[in-house]
Amino acid sequence: MRDNIDEILFSAEDILNRVTDMGLTISSDYRGLDPLLVGILKGSFIFIADLIRKINIPINLDFMAISSYGNNIDSSGVVRILKDLDENISERHVLIVEDIVDTGLTLGYLFQILQARRPASLKICTLLDRPTRRIVELPIAYSGFQIPDTFVVGYGLDYRQRYRNLPYIAKLRLKNEKNN
Ligand code: PRP
C-alpha cells in the first residue's frame, strides 16, 4: 500500500459491484428518456467512465469543470465555473454525476444554475455521500456509498491533486504529506 494510505474503505471490486448496480438502476429509470449525463470534473472522471459502461440505454455525455476547494481539504463555499456545458439542456433529462457530496455547497450552487436552464428533469448521482458535513441539503437520487467524516482519496478523488489514480478508495493519513 502507498505511503499515507491508512485503510482501504472500498476495494476496486466493491466499487465495480456498486457501480454495476447503479448503472442498471439508471438504465431502467431512464429508459426511453435519452438522458444527458453531466460529469463534474475533475473528481468524477473515473466514476462516470465506469458508470456509463454499465448503462445499457442510449445516453449523451457532457462535462462541467468547477472549482470549490482550491488546494485545501475544506470547502470554501466559493464555486467558480471553469468549463461550462457544451450542450443545451433545455427539455433534456439531466443527471449530474459527482464523485462526492460533502458540504453540498458545490452542488447546491450547480443545481440552481442548471435548474434555471429548464431541463425536463434534473437529478444527482454521486459515488460517495458524506452526510455528516452537509450544509446545503440536496435531493440525491443515486448514491453509491455513505462514508463517515474522514478524508478519502483514490478512484478520481485527490488530495492536493495526488492519489486520483488509486484503483480503490482509501482513508488518507494527513501526516508526513511531504512524502506523498
Ligand atoms: C469535490 C467534489 C465535489 C465537491 C464536493 O471537488 O468533486 O465537486 O468537492 O464538496 P462539497 O459538497 O463540500 O461542495 P473538488 O473541489 O475537490 O475538485 P475536483 O473534483 O477537481 O477534485
Side-chain angles (χ1 to χ4, degrees):
M1 221 184 306
R2 285 205 9 199
D3 290 351
N4 294 351
I5 296 302
D6 224 4
E7 180 194 345
I8 294 180
L9 292 180
F10 305 109
S11 68
E13 191 187 355
D14 295 335
I15 298 168
L16 179 67
N17 288 338
R18 189 71 188 104
V19 171
T20 301
D21 282 351
M22 295 173 87
L24 291 175
T25 306
I26 290 167
S27 304
S28 132
D29 290 355
Y30 282 90
R31 195 165 301 280
L33 296 180
D34 193 19
L36 173 67
L37 273 71
V38 173
I40 310 303
L41 297 171
K42 303 174 191 167
S44 72
F45 77 108
I46 293 179
F47 174 43
I48 198 166
D50 283 348
L51 180 68
I52 61 172
R53 284 178 289 176
K54 300 297 177 191
I55 294 178
N56 57 24
I57 57 166
I59 60 149
N60 275 39
L61 181 65
D62 204 345
F63 290 97
M64 282 183 92
I66 53 179
S67 155
S68 60
Y69 279 6
N71 251 356
N72 241 319
I73 62 166
D74 285 318
S75 199
S76 62
V78 179
V79 176
R80 254 185 333 139
I81 294 184
L82 305 177
K83 182 217 167 287
D84 207 336
L85 294 174
D86 297 330
E87 305 242 354
N88 182 344
I89 62 167
S90 165
E91 303 303 319
R92 299 293 308 271
H93 291 278
V94 177
L95 182 60
I96 302 172
V97 179
E98 263 289 19
D99 54 336
I100 184 164
V101 180
D102 196 8
T103 63
L105 288 166
T106 308
L107 268 190
Y109 172 83
L110 203 59
F111 199 87
Q112 280 184 5
I113 297 226
L114 296 183
Q115 193 74 67
R117 299 180 189 179
R118 306 205 169 273
S121 68
L122 183 62
K123 289 188 179 175
I124 296 169
C125 172
T126 186
L127 179 64
L128 302 178
D129 180 9
R130 186 158 46 195
T132 49
R133 289 165 54 99
R134 193 79 85 250
I135 294 171
V136 175
E137 286 308 323
L138 293 163
I140 298 179
Y142 307 96
S143 167
F145 303 101
Q146 277 207 1
I147 59 167
D149 191 2
T150 181
F151 195 78
V152 296
V153 292
Y155 197 74
L157 289 103
D158 74 307
Y159 174 62
R160 299 190 172 173
Q161 301 304 326
R162 290 186 185 268
Y163 303 100
R164 293 195 198 272
N165 57 321
L166 296 179
Y168 47 79
I169 293 171
K171 206 169 143 185
L172 187 69
R173 194 183 308 127
L174 285 172
K175 287 177 192 159
N176 303 324
E177 314 169 348
K178 264 190 300 194
N179 299 327
N180 67 18

